[in-house]
């Protein structure tokens, strides 16, 4: 379950397939997004996956797309950085920390 504000910022859709990469323990799962309450800051792992990824773990959520060679020349990923309460700090199309 993912806060709808985070979904919008990352341009993700409900039921979209994603990977959740657990930085804390190294686990990786494939799952799908369930829309969470807007503004809640919730990033919840549901069902059996909750045995692999725990509350307070640090995670990266990744979505992939298929592109033609032409599309890949213009594609820019949407990266959303959050604080410890899962509030958006900034978004970017490049993996770099702003100065």
């Amino acid at each position: 379950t993912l806060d709808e504000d985070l979904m919008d910022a990352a341009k993700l859709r409900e039921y979209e397939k994603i990977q959740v990469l657990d930085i804390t323990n190294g686990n990786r799962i494939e799952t799908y997004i369930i829309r969470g309450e807007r503004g809640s800051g919730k990033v919840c792992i549901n069902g059996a996956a909750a045995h692999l990824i725990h509350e307070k773990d640090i995670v990266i959520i990744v979505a992939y797309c298929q592109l033609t060679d032409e599309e890949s020349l213009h594609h820019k990923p949407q990266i959303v950085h959050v604080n410890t309460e899962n509030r958006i700090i900034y978004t970017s199309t490049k993996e770099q920390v702003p100065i």
Side-chain angles (χ1 to χ4, degrees), residues 39-81:
S40 66
K42 291 203 174 191
V43 177
C44 298
I45 307 300
N46 303 305
H51 293 283
L52 300 174
I53 300 175
H54 307 100
E55 188 175 348
K56 306 292 183 191
D57 284 1
I58 298 171
V59 298
I60 298 172
I61 298 172
V62 183
Y64 302 93
C65 64
Q66 293 183 357
L67 304 169
T68 65
D69 288 340
E70 179 64 29
E71 290 169 331
S72 71
L73 297 174
H74 307 288
H75 178 72
K76 297 194 184 297
Q78 188 62 34
I79 302 165
V80 180
H81 295 263

Side-chain angles (χ1 to χ4, degrees), residues 5-99:
D5 286 340
L6 299 175
M7 290 175 60
D8 290 347
K11 299 180 181 173
L12 298 174
R13 296 181 179 186
E14 188 168 32
Y15 307 118
E16 183 173 352
K17 181 179 177 180
I18 58 169
Q19 270 193 318
V20 181
L21 315 177
D22 190 318
I23 302 304
T24 305
N25 65 30
N27 283 323
R28 294 170 169 242
I29 62 166
E30 287 187 350
T31 188
Y32 60 93
I33 298 170
I34 298 172
R35 179 175 301 138
E37 181 182 345
R38 184 175 297 281
S40 66
K42 291 203 174 191
V43 177
C44 298
I45 307 300
N46 303 305
H51 293 283
L52 300 174
I53 300 175
H54 307 100
E55 188 175 348
K56 306 292 183 191
D57 284 1
I58 298 171
V59 298
I60 298 172
I61 298 172
V62 183
Y64 302 93
C65 64
Q66 293 183 357
L67 304 169
T68 65
D69 288 340
E70 179 64 29
E71 290 169 331
S72 71
L73 297 174
H74 307 288
H75 178 72
K76 297 194 184 297
Q78 188 62 34
I79 302 165
V80 180
H81 295 263
V82 298
N83 64 16
T84 57
E85 287 82 37
N86 295 324
R87 305 290 181 222
I88 299 168
I89 299 170
Y90 69 95
T91 61
S92 173
T93 57
K94 296 182 180 179
E95 183 56 42
Q96 61 187 12
V97 178
I99 299 175

